[in-house]
PDB file of all heavy atoms in Angstrom:
ATOM      1  N   GLY C   1     -13.582  -4.782   3.224  1.00  0.00           N
ATOM      2  CA  GLY C   1     -13.257  -3.656   2.114  1.00  0.00           C
ATOM      3  C   GLY C   1     -11.920  -3.329   2.161  1.00  0.00           C
ATOM      4  O   GLY C   1     -11.324  -2.840   1.057  1.00  0.00           O
ATOM      5  N   TYR C   2     -11.246  -3.469   3.341  1.00  0.00           N
ATOM      6  CA  TYR C   2      -9.780  -3.076   3.362  1.00  0.00           C
ATOM      7  C   TYR C   2      -8.917  -4.105   2.543  1.00  0.00           C
ATOM      8  O   TYR C   2      -7.799  -3.656   2.197  1.00  0.00           O
ATOM      9  CB  TYR C   2      -9.339  -3.056   4.770  1.00  0.00           C
ATOM     10  CG  TYR C   2      -9.938  -1.798   5.548  1.00  0.00           C
ATOM     11  CD1 TYR C   2     -10.845  -1.905   6.495  1.00  0.00           C
ATOM     12  CD2 TYR C   2      -9.422  -0.618   5.281  1.00  0.00           C
ATOM     13  CE1 TYR C   2     -11.333  -0.801   7.090  1.00  0.00           C
ATOM     14  CE2 TYR C   2      -9.915   0.556   5.888  1.00  0.00           C
ATOM     15  CZ  TYR C   2     -10.879   0.405   6.837  1.00  0.00           C
ATOM     16  OH  TYR C   2     -11.334   1.541   7.527  1.00  0.00           O
ATOM     17  N   ILE C   3      -9.351  -5.238   2.291  1.00  0.00           N
ATOM     18  CA  ILE C   3      -8.475  -6.197   1.583  1.00  0.00           C
ATOM     19  C   ILE C   3      -9.143  -6.780   0.424  1.00  0.00           C
ATOM     20  O   ILE C   3      -8.580  -7.678  -0.240  1.00  0.00           O
ATOM     21  CB  ILE C   3      -8.084  -7.420   2.567  1.00  0.00           C
ATOM     22  CG1 ILE C   3      -9.344  -8.059   3.082  1.00  0.00           C
ATOM     23  CG2 ILE C   3      -7.304  -6.906   3.788  1.00  0.00           C
ATOM     24  CD1 ILE C   3      -9.093  -9.409   3.821  1.00  0.00           C
ATOM     25  N   ILE C   4     -10.243  -6.221  -0.006  1.00  0.00           N
ATOM     26  CA  ILE C   4     -11.071  -6.739  -1.167  1.00  0.00           C
ATOM     27  C   ILE C   4     -10.241  -6.640  -2.536  1.00  0.00           C
ATOM     28  O   ILE C   4     -10.307  -7.461  -3.454  1.00  0.00           O
ATOM     29  CB  ILE C   4     -12.416  -6.094  -1.383  1.00  0.00           C
ATOM     30  CG1 ILE C   4     -13.246  -6.876  -2.235  1.00  0.00           C
ATOM     31  CG2 ILE C   4     -12.205  -4.666  -1.860  1.00  0.00           C
ATOM     32  CD1 ILE C   4     -14.728  -6.375  -2.247  1.00  0.00           C
ATOM     33  N   ASP C   5      -9.309  -5.619  -2.574  1.00  0.00           N
ATOM     34  CA  ASP C   5      -8.516  -5.500  -3.701  1.00  0.00           C
ATOM     35  C   ASP C   5      -7.080  -6.111  -3.556  1.00  0.00           C
ATOM     36  O   ASP C   5      -6.236  -5.909  -4.425  1.00  0.00           O
ATOM     37  CB  ASP C   5      -8.338  -3.996  -4.072  1.00  0.00           C
ATOM     38  CG  ASP C   5      -7.623  -3.199  -2.995  1.00  0.00           C
ATOM     39  OD1 ASP C   5      -7.576  -3.759  -1.888  1.00  0.00           O
ATOM     40  OD2 ASP C   5      -7.156  -2.064  -3.240  1.00  0.00           O
ATOM     41  N   LEU C   6      -6.903  -6.862  -2.475  1.00  0.00           N
ATOM     42  CA  LEU C   6      -5.653  -7.544  -2.285  1.00  0.00           C
ATOM     43  C   LEU C   6      -5.094  -8.372  -3.403  1.00  0.00           C
ATOM     44  O   LEU C   6      -3.917  -8.349  -3.791  1.00  0.00           O
ATOM     45  CB  LEU C   6      -5.664  -8.332  -0.982  1.00  0.00           C
ATOM     46  CG  LEU C   6      -4.287  -8.590  -0.323  1.00  0.00           C
ATOM     47  CD1 LEU C   6      -3.480  -7.301  -0.080  1.00  0.00           C
ATOM     48  CD2 LEU C   6      -4.554  -9.371   0.984  1.00  0.00           C
ATOM     49  N   PRO C   7      -5.999  -9.171  -4.149  1.00  0.00           N
ATOM     50  CA  PRO C   7      -5.534  -9.896  -5.197  1.00  0.00           C
ATOM     51  C   PRO C   7      -4.886  -9.120  -6.328  1.00  0.00           C
ATOM     52  O   PRO C   7      -3.912  -9.518  -6.953  1.00  0.00           O
ATOM     53  CB  PRO C   7      -6.807 -10.676  -5.677  1.00  0.00           C
ATOM     54  CG  PRO C   7      -7.657 -10.867  -4.433  1.00  0.00           C
ATOM     55  CD  PRO C   7      -7.421  -9.517  -3.683  1.00  0.00           C
ATOM     56  N   MET C   8      -5.490  -7.975  -6.550  1.00  0.00           N
ATOM     57  CA  MET C   8      -4.953  -7.019  -7.564  1.00  0.00           C
ATOM     58  C   MET C   8      -3.606  -6.546  -7.304  1.00  0.00           C
ATOM     59  O   MET C   8      -2.738  -6.288  -8.135  1.00  0.00           O
ATOM     60  CB  MET C   8      -5.992  -5.986  -7.914  1.00  0.00           C
ATOM     61  CG  MET C   8      -5.608  -5.066  -9.071  1.00  0.00           C
ATOM     62  SD  MET C   8      -6.658  -3.653  -9.319  1.00  0.00           S
ATOM     63  CE  MET C   8      -6.050  -2.525  -7.982  1.00  0.00           C
ATOM     64  N   ILE C   9      -3.347  -6.399  -5.969  1.00  0.00           N
ATOM     65  CA  ILE C   9      -2.116  -5.902  -5.492  1.00  0.00           C
ATOM     66  C   ILE C   9      -1.037  -7.069  -5.523  1.00  0.00           C
ATOM     67  O   ILE C   9       0.144  -6.866  -5.930  1.00  0.00           O
ATOM     68  CB  ILE C   9      -2.216  -5.325  -4.003  1.00  0.00           C
ATOM     69  CG1 ILE C   9      -3.124  -4.130  -4.009  1.00  0.00           C
ATOM     70  CG2 ILE C   9      -0.806  -4.992  -3.552  1.00  0.00           C
ATOM     71  CD1 ILE C   9      -3.514  -3.718  -2.610  1.00  0.00           C
ATOM     72  N   LEU C  10      -1.442  -8.191  -5.063  1.00  0.00           N
ATOM     73  CA  LEU C  10      -0.551  -9.333  -4.948  1.00  0.00           C
ATOM     74  C   LEU C  10      -0.048  -9.851  -6.279  1.00  0.00           C
ATOM     75  O   LEU C  10       1.136 -10.202  -6.341  1.00  0.00           O
ATOM     76  CB  LEU C  10      -1.289 -10.526  -4.232  1.00  0.00           C
ATOM     77  CG  LEU C  10      -1.445 -10.362  -2.661  1.00  0.00           C
ATOM     78  CD1 LEU C  10      -2.273 -11.437  -2.178  1.00  0.00           C
ATOM     79  CD2 LEU C  10      -0.015 -10.433  -2.058  1.00  0.00           C
ATOM     80  N   VAL C  11      -0.882  -9.913  -7.311  1.00  0.00           N
ATOM     81  CA  VAL C  11      -0.480 -10.428  -8.595  1.00  0.00           C
ATOM     82  C   VAL C  11       0.733  -9.798  -9.235  1.00  0.00           C
ATOM     83  O   VAL C  11       1.783 -10.401  -9.392  1.00  0.00           O
ATOM     84  CB  VAL C  11      -1.566 -10.640  -9.566  1.00  0.00           C
ATOM     85  CG1 VAL C  11      -1.172 -11.026 -10.871  1.00  0.00           C
ATOM     86  CG2 VAL C  11      -2.733 -11.561  -8.995  1.00  0.00           C
ATOM     87  N   PRO C  12       0.691  -8.508  -9.500  1.00  0.00           N
ATOM     88  CA  PRO C  12       1.728  -7.861 -10.156  1.00  0.00           C
ATOM     89  C   PRO C  12       3.051  -7.724  -9.148  1.00  0.00           C
ATOM     90  O   PRO C  12       4.085  -7.939  -9.646  1.00  0.00           O
ATOM     91  CB  PRO C  12       1.306  -6.402 -10.520  1.00  0.00           C
ATOM     92  CG  PRO C  12       0.153  -6.230  -9.627  1.00  0.00           C
ATOM     93  CD  PRO C  12      -0.533  -7.673  -9.355  1.00  0.00           C
ATOM     94  N   THR C  13       2.719  -7.614  -7.894  1.00  0.00           N
ATOM     95  CA  THR C  13       3.762  -7.560  -6.841  1.00  0.00           C
ATOM     96  C   THR C  13       4.562  -8.856  -6.820  1.00  0.00           C
ATOM     97  O   THR C  13       5.796  -8.876  -6.845  1.00  0.00           O
ATOM     98  CB  THR C  13       3.201  -7.197  -5.439  1.00  0.00           C
ATOM     99  OG1 THR C  13       2.595  -5.929  -5.580  1.00  0.00           O
ATOM    100  CG2 THR C  13       4.334  -7.200  -4.482  1.00  0.00           C
ATOM    101  N   LEU C  14       3.850  -9.967  -6.704  1.00  0.00           N
ATOM    102  CA  LEU C  14       4.531 -11.256  -6.620  1.00  0.00           C
ATOM    103  C   LEU C  14       5.163 -11.804  -7.922  1.00  0.00           C
ATOM    104  O   LEU C  14       6.231 -12.387  -7.874  1.00  0.00           O
ATOM    105  CB  LEU C  14       3.605 -12.387  -6.072  1.00  0.00           C
ATOM    106  CG  LEU C  14       3.068 -12.146  -4.647  1.00  0.00           C
ATOM    107  CD1 LEU C  14       2.103 -13.202  -4.215  1.00  0.00           C
ATOM    108  CD2 LEU C  14       4.261 -12.039  -3.681  1.00  0.00           C
ATOM    109  N   VAL C  15       4.586 -11.371  -9.053  1.00  0.00           N
ATOM    110  CA  VAL C  15       5.134 -11.647 -10.351  1.00  0.00           C
ATOM    111  C   VAL C  15       6.600 -11.018 -10.369  1.00  0.00           C
ATOM    112  O   VAL C  15       7.561 -11.715 -10.856  1.00  0.00           O
ATOM    113  CB  VAL C  15       4.210 -11.225 -11.473  1.00  0.00           C
ATOM    114  CG1 VAL C  15       4.999 -11.319 -12.783  1.00  0.00           C
ATOM    115  CG2 VAL C  15       2.989 -12.129 -11.627  1.00  0.00           C
ATOM    116  N   LYS C  16       6.641  -9.764 -10.147  1.00  0.00           N
ATOM    117  CA  LYS C  16       7.902  -9.087 -10.249  1.00  0.00           C
ATOM    118  C   LYS C  16       8.873  -9.613  -9.140  1.00  0.00           C
ATOM    119  O   LYS C  16      10.167  -9.757  -9.343  1.00  0.00           O
ATOM    120  CB  LYS C  16       7.678  -7.558 -10.098  1.00  0.00           C
ATOM    121  CG  LYS C  16       8.936  -6.692 -10.302  1.00  0.00           C
ATOM    122  CD  LYS C  16       9.410  -6.887 -11.730  1.00  0.00           C
ATOM    123  CE  LYS C  16      10.656  -6.107 -12.028  1.00  0.00           C
ATOM    124  NZ  LYS C  16      11.102  -6.271 -13.404  1.00  0.00           N
ATOM    125  N   ALA C  17       8.329  -9.818  -7.870  1.00  0.00           N
ATOM    126  CA  ALA C  17       9.179 -10.248  -6.855  1.00  0.00           C
ATOM    127  C   ALA C  17       9.781 -11.662  -7.145  1.00  0.00           C
ATOM    128  O   ALA C  17      11.008 -11.858  -6.920  1.00  0.00           O
ATOM    129  CB  ALA C  17       8.396 -10.365  -5.502  1.00  0.00           C
ATOM    130  N   TYR C  18       9.048 -12.492  -7.826  1.00  0.00           N
ATOM    131  CA  TYR C  18       9.439 -13.829  -8.152  1.00  0.00           C
ATOM    132  C   TYR C  18      10.620 -13.724  -9.183  1.00  0.00           C
ATOM    133  O   TYR C  18      11.621 -14.424  -8.996  1.00  0.00           O
ATOM    134  CB  TYR C  18       8.332 -14.593  -8.663  1.00  0.00           C
ATOM    135  CG  TYR C  18       8.707 -16.049  -9.109  1.00  0.00           C
ATOM    136  CD1 TYR C  18       8.939 -17.054  -8.255  1.00  0.00           C
ATOM    137  CD2 TYR C  18       8.953 -16.295 -10.575  1.00  0.00           C
ATOM    138  CE1 TYR C  18       9.284 -18.292  -8.691  1.00  0.00           C
ATOM    139  CE2 TYR C  18       9.301 -17.506 -10.992  1.00  0.00           C
ATOM    140  CZ  TYR C  18       9.541 -18.587 -10.024  1.00  0.00           C
ATOM    141  OH  TYR C  18       9.914 -19.826 -10.490  1.00  0.00           O
ATOM    142  N   SER C  19      10.469 -12.836 -10.107  1.00  0.00           N
ATOM    143  CA  SER C  19      11.480 -12.695 -11.175  1.00  0.00           C
ATOM    144  C   SER C  19      12.805 -12.206 -10.545  1.00  0.00           C
ATOM    145  O   SER C  19      13.896 -12.342 -11.076  1.00  0.00           O
ATOM    146  CB  SER C  19      11.046 -11.798 -12.249  1.00  0.00           C
ATOM    147  OG  SER C  19      10.988 -10.418 -11.763  1.00  0.00           O
ATOM    148  N   ARG C  20      12.732 -11.466  -9.394  1.00  0.00           N
ATOM    149  CA  ARG C  20      13.808 -10.929  -8.732  1.00  0.00           C
ATOM    150  C   ARG C  20      14.355 -11.922  -7.579  1.00  0.00           C
ATOM    151  O   ARG C  20      15.290 -11.626  -6.835  1.00  0.00           O
ATOM    152  CB  ARG C  20      13.549  -9.572  -8.048  1.00  0.00           C
ATOM    153  CG  ARG C  20      13.280  -8.512  -9.130  1.00  0.00           C
ATOM    154  CD  ARG C  20      12.867  -7.247  -8.399  1.00  0.00           C
ATOM    155  NE  ARG C  20      13.862  -6.759  -7.418  1.00  0.00           N
ATOM    156  CZ  ARG C  20      14.925  -6.129  -7.709  1.00  0.00           C
ATOM    157  NH1 ARG C  20      15.282  -5.790  -8.903  1.00  0.00           N
ATOM    158  NH2 ARG C  20      15.788  -5.766  -6.715  1.00  0.00           N
ATOM    159  N   GLY C  21      13.689 -13.007  -7.402  1.00  0.00           N
ATOM    160  CA  GLY C  21      14.087 -13.977  -6.312  1.00  0.00           C
ATOM    161  C   GLY C  21      13.754 -13.379  -5.006  1.00  0.00           C
ATOM    162  O   GLY C  21      14.387 -13.720  -4.017  1.00  0.00           O
ATOM    163  N   GLU C  22      12.653 -12.625  -4.894  1.00  0.00           N
ATOM    164  CA  GLU C  22      12.320 -11.929  -3.580  1.00  0.00           C
ATOM    165  C   GLU C  22      10.809 -12.243  -3.241  1.00  0.00           C
ATOM    166  O   GLU C  22      10.165 -11.418  -2.647  1.00  0.00           O
ATOM    167  CB  GLU C  22      12.469 -10.407  -3.739  1.00  0.00           C
ATOM    168  CG  GLU C  22      13.889 -10.025  -4.062  1.00  0.00           C
ATOM    169  CD  GLU C  22      14.108  -8.597  -4.408  1.00  0.00           C
ATOM    170  OE1 GLU C  22      13.134  -7.846  -4.559  1.00  0.00           O
ATOM    171  OE2 GLU C  22      15.266  -8.072  -4.564  1.00  0.00           O
ATOM    172  N   THR C  23      10.323 -13.320  -3.567  1.00  0.00           N
ATOM    173  CA  THR C  23       8.996 -13.630  -3.259  1.00  0.00           C
ATOM    174  C   THR C  23       8.661 -13.487  -1.739  1.00  0.00           C
ATOM    175  O   THR C  23       7.621 -12.871  -1.367  1.00  0.00           O
ATOM    176  CB  THR C  23       8.549 -15.197  -3.653  1.00  0.00           C
ATOM    177  OG1 THR C  23       8.862 -15.226  -5.045  1.00  0.00           O
ATOM    178  CG2 THR C  23       7.120 -15.392  -3.456  1.00  0.00           C
ATOM    179  N   TRP C  24       9.410 -14.175  -0.905  1.00  0.00           N
ATOM    180  CA  TRP C  24       9.120 -14.115   0.574  1.00  0.00           C
ATOM    181  C   TRP C  24       9.255 -12.683   1.120  1.00  0.00           C
ATOM    182  O   TRP C  24       8.469 -12.292   1.990  1.00  0.00           O
ATOM    183  CB  TRP C  24      10.062 -15.093   1.271  1.00  0.00           C
ATOM    184  CG  TRP C  24       9.667 -16.550   1.018  1.00  0.00           C
ATOM    185  CD1 TRP C  24      10.437 -17.446   0.356  1.00  0.00           C
ATOM    186  CD2 TRP C  24       8.412 -17.188   1.336  1.00  0.00           C
ATOM    187  NE1 TRP C  24       9.707 -18.629   0.289  1.00  0.00           N
ATOM    188  CE2 TRP C  24       8.560 -18.486   0.795  1.00  0.00           C
ATOM    189  CE3 TRP C  24       7.345 -16.809   1.970  1.00  0.00           C
ATOM    190  CZ2 TRP C  24       7.560 -19.396   0.951  1.00  0.00           C
ATOM    191  CZ3 TRP C  24       6.281 -17.726   2.176  1.00  0.00           C
ATOM    192  CH2 TRP C  24       6.402 -19.026   1.659  1.00  0.00           C
ATOM    193  N   LYS C  25      10.222 -11.926   0.599  1.00  0.00           N
ATOM    194  CA  LYS C  25      10.326 -10.488   0.999  1.00  0.00           C
ATOM    195  C   LYS C  25       9.091  -9.683   0.649  1.00  0.00           C
ATOM    196  O   LYS C  25       8.644  -8.908   1.465  1.00  0.00           O
ATOM    197  CB  LYS C  25      11.555  -9.961   0.296  1.00  0.00           C
ATOM    198  CG  LYS C  25      11.799  -8.405   0.752  1.00  0.00           C
ATOM    199  CD  LYS C  25      12.692  -7.644  -0.148  1.00  0.00           C
ATOM    200  CE  LYS C  25      14.169  -8.126   0.065  1.00  0.00           C
ATOM    201  NZ  LYS C  25      15.093  -7.231  -0.631  1.00  0.00           N
ATOM    202  N   ALA C  26       8.539  -9.935  -0.578  1.00  0.00           N
ATOM    203  CA  ALA C  26       7.322  -9.232  -0.913  1.00  0.00           C
ATOM    204  C   ALA C  26       6.191  -9.666  -0.070  1.00  0.00           C
ATOM    205  O   ALA C  26       5.329  -8.825   0.403  1.00  0.00           O
ATOM    206  CB  ALA C  26       7.062  -9.547  -2.442  1.00  0.00           C
ATOM    207  N   LEU C  27       5.999 -10.988   0.166  1.00  0.00           N
ATOM    208  CA  LEU C  27       4.863 -11.438   0.995  1.00  0.00           C
ATOM    209  C   LEU C  27       4.935 -10.860   2.388  1.00  0.00           C
ATOM    210  O   LEU C  27       3.904 -10.421   2.991  1.00  0.00           O
ATOM    211  CB  LEU C  27       4.865 -12.975   1.007  1.00  0.00           C
ATOM    212  CG  LEU C  27       4.323 -13.633  -0.172  1.00  0.00           C
ATOM    213  CD1 LEU C  27       4.558 -15.241  -0.059  1.00  0.00           C
ATOM    214  CD2 LEU C  27       2.793 -13.434  -0.336  1.00  0.00           C
ATOM    215  N   ALA C  28       6.105 -10.845   2.932  1.00  0.00           N
ATOM    216  CA  ALA C  28       6.279 -10.356   4.312  1.00  0.00           C
ATOM    217  C   ALA C  28       6.114  -8.837   4.399  1.00  0.00           C
ATOM    218  O   ALA C  28       5.843  -8.322   5.510  1.00  0.00           O
ATOM    219  CB  ALA C  28       7.717 -10.679   4.826  1.00  0.00           C
ATOM    220  N   SER C  29       6.155  -8.133   3.240  1.00  0.00           N
ATOM    221  CA  SER C  29       6.051  -6.644   3.227  1.00  0.00           C
ATOM    222  C   SER C  29       4.600  -6.215   2.959  1.00  0.00           C
ATOM    223  O   SER C  29       4.322  -5.067   3.098  1.00  0.00           O
ATOM    224  CB  SER C  29       6.997  -6.125   2.195  1.00  0.00           C
ATOM    225  OG  SER C  29       8.312  -6.424   2.483  1.00  0.00           O
ATOM    226  N   ILE C  30       3.749  -7.108   2.559  1.00  0.00           N
ATOM    227  CA  ILE C  30       2.318  -6.750   2.227  1.00  0.00           C
ATOM    228  C   ILE C  30       1.589  -6.028   3.454  1.00  0.00           C
ATOM    229  O   ILE C  30       0.985  -4.946   3.218  1.00  0.00           O
ATOM    230  CB  ILE C  30       1.492  -7.917   1.802  1.00  0.00           C
ATOM    231  CG1 ILE C  30       1.965  -8.467   0.473  1.00  0.00           C
ATOM    232  CG2 ILE C  30       0.024  -7.645   1.793  1.00  0.00           C
ATOM    233  CD1 ILE C  30       1.793  -7.590  -0.670  1.00  0.00           C
ATOM    234  N   PRO C  31       1.776  -6.481   4.645  1.00  0.00           N
ATOM    235  CA  PRO C  31       1.073  -5.821   5.830  1.00  0.00           C
ATOM    236  C   PRO C  31       1.550  -4.274   5.885  1.00  0.00           C
ATOM    237  O   PRO C  31       0.829  -3.466   6.164  1.00  0.00           O
ATOM    238  CB  PRO C  31       1.411  -6.618   6.955  1.00  0.00           C
ATOM    239  CG  PRO C  31       1.611  -7.988   6.489  1.00  0.00           C
ATOM    240  CD  PRO C  31       2.265  -7.720   5.136  1.00  0.00           C
ATOM    241  N   ALA C  32       2.913  -4.117   5.620  1.00  0.00           N
ATOM    242  CA  ALA C  32       3.437  -2.783   5.784  1.00  0.00           C
ATOM    243  C   ALA C  32       2.873  -1.872   4.596  1.00  0.00           C
ATOM    244  O   ALA C  32       2.598  -0.713   4.806  1.00  0.00           O
ATOM    245  CB  ALA C  32       4.903  -2.819   5.589  1.00  0.00           C
ATOM    246  N   PHE C  33       2.552  -2.391   3.475  1.00  0.00           N
ATOM    247  CA  PHE C  33       1.935  -1.672   2.395  1.00  0.00           C
ATOM    248  C   PHE C  33       0.535  -1.208   2.740  1.00  0.00           C
ATOM    249  O   PHE C  33       0.164  -0.010   2.510  1.00  0.00           O
ATOM    250  CB  PHE C  33       1.921  -2.527   1.092  1.00  0.00           C
ATOM    251  CG  PHE C  33       1.022  -1.877   0.067  1.00  0.00           C
ATOM    252  CD1 PHE C  33       1.521  -0.739  -0.728  1.00  0.00           C
ATOM    253  CD2 PHE C  33      -0.212  -2.372  -0.176  1.00  0.00           C
ATOM    254  CE1 PHE C  33       0.649  -0.269  -1.676  1.00  0.00           C
ATOM    255  CE2 PHE C  33      -1.031  -1.766  -1.135  1.00  0.00           C
ATOM    256  CZ  PHE C  33      -0.586  -0.814  -1.903  1.00  0.00           C
ATOM    257  N   LEU C  34      -0.123  -2.140   3.477  1.00  0.00           N
ATOM    258  CA  LEU C  34      -1.553  -1.771   3.877  1.00  0.00           C
ATOM    259  C   LEU C  34      -1.489  -0.636   4.854  1.00  0.00           C
ATOM    260  O   LEU C  34      -2.381   0.279   4.818  1.00  0.00           O
ATOM    261  CB  LEU C  34      -2.269  -3.008   4.488  1.00  0.00           C
ATOM    262  CG  LEU C  34      -2.426  -4.167   3.598  1.00  0.00           C
ATOM    263  CD1 LEU C  34      -2.950  -5.370   4.215  1.00  0.00           C
ATOM    264  CD2 LEU C  34      -3.248  -3.817   2.279  1.00  0.00           C
ATOM    265  N   VAL C  35      -0.526  -0.624   5.713  1.00  0.00           N
ATOM    266  CA  VAL C  35      -0.316   0.534   6.657  1.00  0.00           C
ATOM    267  C   VAL C  35      -0.043   1.736   5.956  1.00  0.00           C
ATOM    268  O   VAL C  35      -0.595   2.801   6.154  1.00  0.00           O
ATOM    269  CB  VAL C  35       0.779   0.210   7.736  1.00  0.00           C
ATOM    270  CG1 VAL C  35       1.061   1.420   8.671  1.00  0.00           C
ATOM    271  CG2 VAL C  35       0.417  -0.960   8.606  1.00  0.00           C
ATOM    272  N   LEU C  36       0.886   1.659   4.923  1.00  0.00           N
ATOM    273  CA  LEU C  36       1.303   2.886   4.240  1.00  0.00           C
ATOM    274  C   LEU C  36       0.133   3.383   3.400  1.00  0.00           C
ATOM    275  O   LEU C  36       0.064   4.661   3.328  1.00  0.00           O
ATOM    276  CB  LEU C  36       2.510   2.494   3.266  1.00  0.00           C
ATOM    277  CG  LEU C  36       3.004   3.569   2.385  1.00  0.00           C
ATOM    278  CD1 LEU C  36       3.514   4.840   3.136  1.00  0.00           C
ATOM    279  CD2 LEU C  36       4.002   3.043   1.397  1.00  0.00           C
ATOM    280  N   ARG C  37      -0.683   2.637   2.928  1.00  0.00           N
ATOM    281  CA  ARG C  37      -1.862   3.026   2.117  1.00  0.00           C
ATOM    282  C   ARG C  37      -2.826   3.803   3.007  1.00  0.00           C
ATOM    283  O   ARG C  37      -3.361   4.838   2.509  1.00  0.00           O
ATOM    284  CB  ARG C  37      -2.560   1.826   1.442  1.00  0.00           C
ATOM    285  CG  ARG C  37      -3.710   2.282   0.640  1.00  0.00           C
ATOM    286  CD  ARG C  37      -4.158   1.127  -0.334  1.00  0.00           C
ATOM    287  NE  ARG C  37      -4.688  -0.039   0.367  1.00  0.00           N
ATOM    288  CZ  ARG C  37      -5.362  -1.014  -0.202  1.00  0.00           C
ATOM    289  NH1 ARG C  37      -5.614  -0.952  -1.521  1.00  0.00           N
ATOM    290  NH2 ARG C  37      -5.901  -1.965   0.513  1.00  0.00           N
ATOM    291  N   VAL C  38      -3.076   3.414   4.232  1.00  0.00           N
ATOM    292  CA  VAL C  38      -3.988   4.125   5.076  1.00  0.00           C
ATOM    293  C   VAL C  38      -3.362   5.537   5.431  1.00  0.00           C
ATOM    294  O   VAL C  38      -4.068   6.534   5.333  1.00  0.00           O
ATOM    295  CB  VAL C  38      -4.115   3.400   6.430  1.00  0.00           C
ATOM    296  CG1 VAL C  38      -4.892   4.211   7.410  1.00  0.00           C
ATOM    297  CG2 VAL C  38      -4.907   2.063   6.145  1.00  0.00           C
ATOM    298  N   VAL C  39      -2.093   5.565   5.660  1.00  0.00           N
ATOM    299  CA  VAL C  39      -1.388   6.851   6.029  1.00  0.00           C
ATOM    300  C   VAL C  39      -1.414   7.775   4.785  1.00  0.00           C
ATOM    301  O   VAL C  39      -1.743   8.978   4.878  1.00  0.00           O
ATOM    302  CB  VAL C  39       0.067   6.518   6.466  1.00  0.00           C
ATOM    303  CG1 VAL C  39       0.848   7.853   6.557  1.00  0.00           C
ATOM    304  CG2 VAL C  39       0.092   5.819   7.762  1.00  0.00           C
ATOM    305  N   ASN C  40      -1.138   7.182   3.632  1.00  0.00           N
ATOM    306  CA  ASN C  40      -1.139   7.970   2.364  1.00  0.00           C
ATOM    307  C   ASN C  40      -2.557   8.510   2.110  1.00  0.00           C
ATOM    308  O   ASN C  40      -2.649   9.681   1.768  1.00  0.00           O
ATOM    309  CB  ASN C  40      -0.708   7.086   1.205  1.00  0.00           C
ATOM    310  CG  ASN C  40      -0.319   7.861  -0.064  1.00  0.00           C
ATOM    311  OD1 ASN C  40       0.040   9.073   0.067  1.00  0.00           O
ATOM    312  ND2 ASN C  40      -0.469   7.258  -1.192  1.00  0.00           N
TER     313      ASN C  40
END
């Protein structure tokens, strides 16, 4: 349940990251987002 919505997060994130030439930065940052979401 903690990652069931991950595709919905990944699609817009990676689309924008790709347009900025930051795909790997975005992928590497996904775990940090999951931590931030729990804290939030």
Side-chain angles (χ1 to χ4, degrees):
Y2 286 108
I3 59 172
I4 197 170
D5 63 344
L6 200 55
M8 189 184 76
I9 296 168
L10 283 173
V11 172
T13 298
L14 294 181
V15 166
K16 188 62 179 180
Y18 178 79
S19 71
R20 293 176 53 83
E22 299 172 352
T23 303
W24 291 113
K25 180 194 288 188
L27 281 172
S29 300
I30 291 295
F33 168 76
L34 298 177
V35 173
L36 178 61
R37 184 164 65 168
V38 171
V39 172
N40 195 26

